[in-house]
Amino acid sequence: MIEDLAKVAILSLIEGVTEFLPVSSTGHLIVGAALLNFDAMVPPIFEIFIQIGAVAAVLVHYRHLLTGQASQLRHSPETRRFWLMIALACAPVALLGIVFQSEVEALFFSARVVAGSLILGGIAILIVERLPRLQPGVTEEATDMQNVTLGQAALVGLVQALALIPGMSRSGCSIVGGMLAGLDRRAATEFSFFLALPLLGGATLYKFVTTVDELGSEQLLLLLLGAALSAVFAWLAIDWLLNFISRHSFAAFGYYRIAAGVLILAAASSGIIS
């Protein structure tokens, strides 16, 4: 049990740090669990459940904005419109995830798939960062996530659907989709944070309800501990990421993804991980 607690702490650190970075938290968790030989429960229960910590981190970080929106919801068309855009952007990945959940888990939860996805996603980030960008302040929609347009939300949703493949990264796909749609880095990133609320919250709830009968008391303890620790690490990562992108591009993450993908492929080929 002590060994499992230590592994949960490490995996929670990985989840919290990587959930909102465009590097694929699920991919890192799959590889991390394989390296640690973490078999306390059948995957991907743990990998999905502890994502609720990231939801808690967003709620805490944006608590003042969310409280204000909740109080204005009945009387503010702008607030209702913003959450409609969130729903629209979430719809493709949510619908595909429900329909093809078992196929995705059976076919894609492997180190080689993660490695390939990391490399392809890294190349995509580098390409998008080289595309002509709207200058900050050109349009209100480009710099404020609360002014995302219908077309922008739809494009983000379509690109985000690729995140069903482990290693592609939900945050990475939604950020790239936002930048392709004309949002600046901060607006695309913050919109991605808010997309996590229904998507990760819904996925965690669904997975928990459908698997709770298979979990023992020790496994439930590990899940709750993992979620709590990942919330703390994710909260710290949100502040760091927003500060980072105010001064830098996402190119470093693109290069990191490519390097990580190559290393994972090498490890898989040598039998270190499967």
Side-chain angles (χ1 to χ4, degrees), residues 161-196:
L162 295 172
L164 288 171
I165 304 173
M168 287 305 294
S169 171
R170 184 207 61 80
S171 59
C173 289
S174 56
I175 289 171
V176 165
M179 293 173 67
L180 286 173
L183 299 176
D184 70 0
R185 293 186 187 95
R186 185 180 182 95
T189 301
E190 291 195 299
F191 193 63
S192 174
F193 292 163
F194 275 72
L195 293 177

mmCIF file of all heavy atoms in Angstrom, residues 161-196:
data_model
loop_
_atom_site.group_PDB
_atom_site.id
_atom_site.type_symbol
_atom_site.label_atom_id
_atom_site.label_comp_id
_atom_site.label_asym_id
_atom_site.label_seq_id
_atom_site.Cartn_x
_atom_site.Cartn_y
_atom_site.Cartn_z
ATOM 1 N N ALA A 161 -11.482 17.285 -31.093
ATOM 2 C CA ALA A 161 -11.918 15.893 -31.212
ATOM 3 C C ALA A 161 -10.739 14.941 -31.411
ATOM 4 O O ALA A 161 -10.811 13.761 -31.056
ATOM 5 C CB ALA A 161 -12.915 15.752 -32.363
ATOM 6 N N LEU A 162 -9.630 15.466 -31.952
ATOM 7 C CA LEU A 162 -8.435 14.633 -32.127
ATOM 8 C C LEU A 162 -7.852 14.185 -30.798
ATOM 9 O O LEU A 162 -7.072 13.230 -30.744
ATOM 10 C CB LEU A 162 -7.370 15.408 -32.921
ATOM 11 C CG LEU A 162 -7.719 15.758 -34.368
ATOM 12 C CD1 LEU A 162 -6.651 16.679 -34.952
ATOM 13 C CD2 LEU A 162 -7.842 14.488 -35.207
ATOM 14 N N ALA A 163 -8.232 14.868 -29.716
ATOM 15 C CA ALA A 163 -7.691 14.546 -28.393
ATOM 16 C C ALA A 163 -8.170 13.204 -27.875
ATOM 17 O O ALA A 163 -7.671 12.726 -26.851
ATOM 18 C CB ALA A 163 -8.065 15.646 -27.400
ATOM 19 N N LEU A 164 -9.122 12.562 -28.549
ATOM 20 C CA LEU A 164 -9.530 11.218 -28.161
ATOM 21 C C LEU A 164 -8.374 10.236 -28.311
ATOM 22 O O LEU A 164 -8.351 9.188 -27.663
ATOM 23 C CB LEU A 164 -10.722 10.751 -28.996
ATOM 24 C CG LEU A 164 -12.059 11.418 -28.677
ATOM 25 C CD1 LEU A 164 -13.105 11.022 -29.708
ATOM 26 C CD2 LEU A 164 -12.528 11.049 -27.275
ATOM 27 N N ILE A 165 -7.419 10.564 -29.156
ATOM 28 C CA ILE A 165 -6.246 9.714 -29.341
ATOM 29 C C ILE A 165 -5.218 10.083 -28.276
ATOM 30 O O ILE A 165 -4.739 11.213 -28.250
ATOM 31 C CB ILE A 165 -5.629 9.914 -30.741
ATOM 32 C CG1 ILE A 165 -6.680 9.659 -31.827
ATOM 33 C CG2 ILE A 165 -4.426 8.999 -30.929
ATOM 34 C CD1 ILE A 165 -6.206 9.993 -33.225
ATOM 35 N N PRO A 166 -4.878 9.174 -27.365
ATOM 36 C CA PRO A 166 -3.902 9.496 -26.318
ATOM 37 C C PRO A 166 -2.591 10.003 -26.902
ATOM 38 O O PRO A 166 -2.068 9.443 -27.866
ATOM 39 C CB PRO A 166 -3.704 8.154 -25.603
ATOM 40 C CG PRO A 166 -4.982 7.429 -25.822
ATOM 41 C CD PRO A 166 -5.417 7.815 -27.216
ATOM 42 N N GLY A 167 -2.096 11.061 -26.325
ATOM 43 C CA GLY A 167 -0.860 11.661 -26.809
ATOM 44 C C GLY A 167 -1.100 12.918 -27.610
ATOM 45 O O GLY A 167 -0.207 13.763 -27.746
ATOM 46 N N MET A 168 -2.309 13.085 -28.162
ATOM 47 C CA MET A 168 -2.604 14.286 -28.933
ATOM 48 C C MET A 168 -2.769 15.500 -28.020
ATOM 49 O O MET A 168 -2.395 16.611 -28.391
ATOM 50 C CB MET A 168 -3.861 14.098 -29.774
ATOM 51 C CG MET A 168 -3.672 13.181 -30.968
ATOM 52 S SD MET A 168 -2.332 13.677 -32.078
ATOM 53 C CE MET A 168 -2.969 15.230 -32.716
ATOM 54 N N SER A 169 -3.342 15.298 -26.829
ATOM 55 C CA SER A 169 -3.518 16.340 -25.823
ATOM 56 C C SER A 169 -4.772 17.162 -26.055
ATOM 57 O O SER A 169 -4.897 17.862 -27.070
ATOM 58 C CB SER A 169 -2.303 17.286 -25.767
ATOM 59 O OG SER A 169 -2.548 18.411 -24.944
ATOM 60 N N ARG A 170 -5.690 17.089 -25.085
ATOM 61 C CA ARG A 170 -6.910 17.895 -25.170
ATOM 62 C C ARG A 170 -6.573 19.381 -25.160
ATOM 63 O O ARG A 170 -7.065 20.147 -25.987
ATOM 64 C CB ARG A 170 -7.842 17.569 -23.993
ATOM 65 C CG ARG A 170 -9.188 18.301 -24.064
ATOM 66 C CD ARG A 170 -9.790 18.512 -22.699
ATOM 67 N NE ARG A 170 -8.949 19.316 -21.838
ATOM 68 C CZ ARG A 170 -8.891 20.642 -21.895
ATOM 69 N NH1 ARG A 170 -9.613 21.319 -22.765
ATOM 70 N NH2 ARG A 170 -8.098 21.304 -21.075
ATOM 71 N N SER A 171 -5.722 19.782 -24.231
ATOM 72 C CA SER A 171 -5.363 21.199 -24.167
ATOM 73 C C SER A 171 -4.592 21.612 -25.411
ATOM 74 O O SER A 171 -4.810 22.704 -25.958
ATOM 75 C CB SER A 171 -4.546 21.495 -22.908
ATOM 76 O OG SER A 171 -3.368 20.720 -22.871
ATOM 77 N N GLY A 172 -3.686 20.744 -25.886
ATOM 78 C CA GLY A 172 -2.926 21.072 -27.082
ATOM 79 C C GLY A 172 -3.811 21.258 -28.296
ATOM 80 O O GLY A 172 -3.664 22.222 -29.051
ATOM 81 N N CYS A 173 -4.772 20.333 -28.481
ATOM 82 C CA CYS A 173 -5.671 20.425 -29.631
ATOM 83 C C CYS A 173 -6.556 21.664 -29.540
ATOM 84 O O CYS A 173 -6.762 22.369 -30.542
ATOM 85 C CB CYS A 173 -6.538 19.172 -29.720
ATOM 86 S SG CYS A 173 -5.646 17.684 -30.225
ATOM 87 N N SER A 174 -7.098 21.942 -28.355
ATOM 88 C CA SER A 174 -7.989 23.101 -28.228
ATOM 89 C C SER A 174 -7.227 24.415 -28.371
ATOM 90 O O SER A 174 -7.736 25.380 -28.947
ATOM 91 C CB SER A 174 -8.742 23.058 -26.897
ATOM 92 O OG SER A 174 -7.859 22.981 -25.799
ATOM 93 N N ILE A 175 -5.992 24.465 -27.869
ATOM 94 C CA ILE A 175 -5.178 25.681 -28.021
ATOM 95 C C ILE A 175 -4.806 25.893 -29.481
ATOM 96 O O ILE A 175 -4.919 27.003 -30.010
ATOM 97 C CB ILE A 175 -3.926 25.604 -27.131
ATOM 98 C CG1 ILE A 175 -4.308 25.735 -25.649
ATOM 99 C CG2 ILE A 175 -2.926 26.699 -27.509
ATOM 100 C CD1 ILE A 175 -3.165 25.449 -24.699
ATOM 101 N N VAL A 176 -4.364 24.826 -30.139
ATOM 102 C CA VAL A 176 -4.028 24.937 -31.569
ATOM 103 C C VAL A 176 -5.262 25.326 -32.367
ATOM 104 O O VAL A 176 -5.201 26.186 -33.259
ATOM 105 C CB VAL A 176 -3.440 23.602 -32.084
ATOM 106 C CG1 VAL A 176 -3.428 23.577 -33.618
ATOM 107 C CG2 VAL A 176 -2.025 23.406 -31.549
ATOM 108 N N GLY A 177 -6.411 24.709 -32.057
ATOM 109 C CA GLY A 177 -7.646 25.078 -32.738
ATOM 110 C C GLY A 177 -7.994 26.531 -32.530
ATOM 111 O O GLY A 177 -8.418 27.223 -33.455
ATOM 112 N N GLY A 178 -7.818 27.021 -31.301
ATOM 113 C CA GLY A 178 -8.097 28.420 -31.016
ATOM 114 C C GLY A 178 -7.185 29.366 -31.770
ATOM 115 O O GLY A 178 -7.624 30.392 -32.294
ATOM 116 N N MET A 179 -5.898 29.026 -31.843
ATOM 117 C CA MET A 179 -4.951 29.870 -32.569
ATOM 118 C C MET A 179 -5.232 29.852 -34.067
ATOM 119 O O MET A 179 -5.128 30.881 -34.743
ATOM 120 C CB MET A 179 -3.528 29.430 -32.259
ATOM 121 C CG MET A 179 -3.126 29.693 -30.801
ATOM 122 S SD MET A 179 -1.526 28.994 -30.342
ATOM 123 C CE MET A 179 -0.419 29.999 -31.349
ATOM 124 N N LEU A 180 -5.604 28.690 -34.600
ATOM 125 C CA LEU A 180 -5.984 28.613 -36.016
ATOM 126 C C LEU A 180 -7.226 29.454 -36.289
ATOM 127 O O LEU A 180 -7.393 30.000 -37.387
ATOM 128 C CB LEU A 180 -6.245 27.159 -36.417
ATOM 129 C CG LEU A 180 -5.025 26.256 -36.569
ATOM 130 C CD1 LEU A 180 -5.465 24.812 -36.799
ATOM 131 C CD2 LEU A 180 -4.139 26.731 -37.734
ATOM 132 N N ALA A 181 -8.104 29.543 -35.266
ATOM 133 C CA ALA A 181 -9.339 30.320 -35.420
ATOM 134 C C ALA A 181 -9.117 31.821 -35.250
ATOM 135 O O ALA A 181 -10.054 32.604 -35.427
ATOM 136 C CB ALA A 181 -10.374 29.835 -34.409
ATOM 137 N N GLY A 182 -7.898 32.234 -34.897
ATOM 138 C CA GLY A 182 -7.607 33.651 -34.777
ATOM 139 C C GLY A 182 -7.454 34.181 -33.375
ATOM 140 O O GLY A 182 -7.232 35.379 -33.180
ATOM 141 N N LEU A 183 -7.577 33.302 -32.356
ATOM 142 C CA LEU A 183 -7.383 33.748 -30.981
ATOM 143 C C LEU A 183 -5.899 33.922 -30.701
ATOM 144 O O LEU A 183 -5.061 33.224 -31.283
ATOM 145 C CB LEU A 183 -7.956 32.723 -30.000
ATOM 146 C CG LEU A 183 -9.457 32.422 -30.095
ATOM 147 C CD1 LEU A 183 -9.819 31.322 -29.104
ATOM 148 C CD2 LEU A 183 -10.274 33.665 -29.835
ATOM 149 N N ASP A 184 -5.564 34.862 -29.810
ATOM 150 C CA ASP A 184 -4.171 34.952 -29.410
ATOM 151 C C ASP A 184 -3.876 33.840 -28.404
ATOM 152 O O ASP A 184 -4.762 33.094 -27.990
ATOM 153 C CB ASP A 184 -3.819 36.341 -28.873
ATOM 154 C CG ASP A 184 -4.439 36.656 -27.513
ATOM 155 O OD1 ASP A 184 -5.153 35.796 -26.953
ATOM 156 O OD2 ASP A 184 -4.214 37.771 -27.014
ATOM 157 N N ARG A 185 -2.608 33.707 -28.027
ATOM 158 C CA ARG A 185 -2.207 32.576 -27.191
ATOM 159 C C ARG A 185 -2.963 32.543 -25.870
ATOM 160 O O ARG A 185 -3.412 31.490 -25.425
ATOM 161 C CB ARG A 185 -0.698 32.615 -26.932
ATOM 162 C CG ARG A 185 0.149 32.379 -28.179
ATOM 163 C CD ARG A 185 1.622 32.289 -27.831
ATOM 164 N NE ARG A 185 2.438 32.222 -29.035
ATOM 165 C CZ ARG A 185 2.995 33.276 -29.614
ATOM 166 N NH1 ARG A 185 2.845 34.477 -29.066
ATOM 167 N NH2 ARG A 185 3.714 33.131 -30.710
ATOM 168 N N ARG A 186 -3.085 33.689 -25.195
ATOM 169 C CA ARG A 186 -3.727 33.692 -23.886
ATOM 170 C C ARG A 186 -5.212 33.356 -23.997
ATOM 171 O O ARG A 186 -5.735 32.558 -23.218
ATOM 172 C CB ARG A 186 -3.550 35.042 -23.193
ATOM 173 C CG ARG A 186 -4.097 35.035 -21.761
ATOM 174 C CD ARG A 186 -3.938 36.362 -21.054
ATOM 175 N NE ARG A 186 -4.438 36.274 -19.690
ATOM 176 C CZ ARG A 186 -3.693 36.016 -18.624
ATOM 177 N NH1 ARG A 186 -2.386 35.827 -18.768
ATOM 178 N NH2 ARG A 186 -4.230 35.936 -17.422
ATOM 179 N N ALA A 187 -5.900 33.955 -24.975
ATOM 180 C CA ALA A 187 -7.329 33.679 -25.131
ATOM 181 C C ALA A 187 -7.564 32.210 -25.473
ATOM 182 O O ALA A 187 -8.478 31.574 -24.934
ATOM 183 C CB ALA A 187 -7.921 34.577 -26.207
ATOM 184 N N ALA A 188 -6.729 31.649 -26.362
ATOM 185 C CA ALA A 188 -6.868 30.237 -26.725
ATOM 186 C C ALA A 188 -6.619 29.343 -25.513
ATOM 187 O O ALA A 188 -7.313 28.341 -25.304
ATOM 188 C CB ALA A 188 -5.895 29.882 -27.845
ATOM 189 N N THR A 189 -5.642 29.722 -24.698
ATOM 190 C CA THR A 189 -5.299 28.924 -23.526
ATOM 191 C C THR A 189 -6.398 28.988 -22.479
ATOM 192 O O THR A 189 -6.813 27.962 -21.916
ATOM 193 C CB THR A 189 -3.969 29.410 -22.918
ATOM 194 O OG1 THR A 189 -2.935 29.305 -23.902
ATOM 195 C CG2 THR A 189 -3.593 28.580 -21.704
ATOM 196 N N GLU A 190 -6.920 30.180 -22.201
ATOM 197 C CA GLU A 190 -7.962 30.307 -21.184
ATOM 198 C C GLU A 190 -9.263 29.652 -21.643
ATOM 199 O O GLU A 190 -9.987 29.057 -20.826
ATOM 200 C CB GLU A 190 -8.184 31.783 -20.848
ATOM 201 C CG GLU A 190 -7.008 32.402 -20.111
ATOM 202 C CD GLU A 190 -7.353 33.721 -19.459
ATOM 203 O OE1 GLU A 190 -7.729 34.655 -20.196
ATOM 204 O OE2 GLU A 190 -7.260 33.817 -18.226
ATOM 205 N N PHE A 191 -9.572 29.741 -22.932
ATOM 206 C CA PHE A 191 -10.752 29.046 -23.446
ATOM 207 C C PHE A 191 -10.589 27.542 -23.248
ATOM 208 O O PHE A 191 -11.543 26.836 -22.887
ATOM 209 C CB PHE A 191 -10.955 29.374 -24.923
ATOM 210 C CG PHE A 191 -12.303 28.971 -25.463
ATOM 211 C CD1 PHE A 191 -13.471 29.528 -24.970
ATOM 212 C CD2 PHE A 191 -12.396 28.033 -26.486
ATOM 213 C CE1 PHE A 191 -14.714 29.155 -25.474
ATOM 214 C CE2 PHE A 191 -13.628 27.653 -26.999
ATOM 215 C CZ PHE A 191 -14.790 28.221 -26.479
ATOM 216 N N SER A 192 -9.369 27.040 -23.440
ATOM 217 C CA SER A 192 -9.087 25.627 -23.219
ATOM 218 C C SER A 192 -9.310 25.246 -21.758
ATOM 219 O O SER A 192 -9.821 24.152 -21.461
ATOM 220 C CB SER A 192 -7.635 25.316 -23.620
ATOM 221 O OG SER A 192 -7.286 23.989 -23.292
ATOM 222 N N PHE A 193 -8.929 26.138 -20.822
ATOM 223 C CA PHE A 193 -9.171 25.869 -19.403
ATOM 224 C C PHE A 193 -10.665 25.647 -19.143
ATOM 225 O O PHE A 193 -11.057 24.710 -18.440
ATOM 226 C CB PHE A 193 -8.704 27.045 -18.539
ATOM 227 C CG PHE A 193 -7.212 27.256 -18.498
ATOM 228 C CD1 PHE A 193 -6.689 28.461 -18.047
ATOM 229 C CD2 PHE A 193 -6.331 26.266 -18.900
ATOM 230 C CE1 PHE A 193 -5.323 28.663 -17.994
ATOM 231 C CE2 PHE A 193 -4.959 26.462 -18.852
ATOM 232 C CZ PHE A 193 -4.453 27.667 -18.395
ATOM 233 N N PHE A 194 -11.488 26.517 -19.705
ATOM 234 C CA PHE A 194 -12.924 26.435 -19.436
ATOM 235 C C PHE A 194 -13.552 25.223 -20.119
ATOM 236 O O PHE A 194 -14.533 24.673 -19.614
ATOM 237 C CB PHE A 194 -13.613 27.733 -19.861
ATOM 238 C CG PHE A 194 -13.576 28.793 -18.800
ATOM 239 C CD1 PHE A 194 -12.398 29.457 -18.496
ATOM 240 C CD2 PHE A 194 -14.710 29.123 -18.068
ATOM 241 C CE1 PHE A 194 -12.338 30.414 -17.496
ATOM 242 C CE2 PHE A 194 -14.670 30.069 -17.062
ATOM 243 C CZ PHE A 194 -13.482 30.721 -16.777
ATOM 244 N N LEU A 195 -12.997 24.811 -21.245
ATOM 245 C CA LEU A 195 -13.499 23.596 -21.883
ATOM 246 C C LEU A 195 -13.264 22.376 -21.005
ATOM 247 O O LEU A 195 -13.990 21.371 -21.098
ATOM 248 C CB LEU A 195 -12.811 23.390 -23.238
ATOM 249 C CG LEU A 195 -13.126 24.411 -24.330
ATOM 250 C CD1 LEU A 195 -12.324 24.105 -25.582
ATOM 251 C CD2 LEU A 195 -14.611 24.428 -24.644
ATOM 252 N N ALA A 196 -12.250 22.454 -20.146
ATOM 253 C CA ALA A 196 -11.947 21.324 -19.262
ATOM 254 C C ALA A 196 -13.049 21.081 -18.248
ATOM 255 O O ALA A 196 -13.233 19.942 -17.787
ATOM 256 C CB ALA A 196 -10.620 21.572 -18.531
#
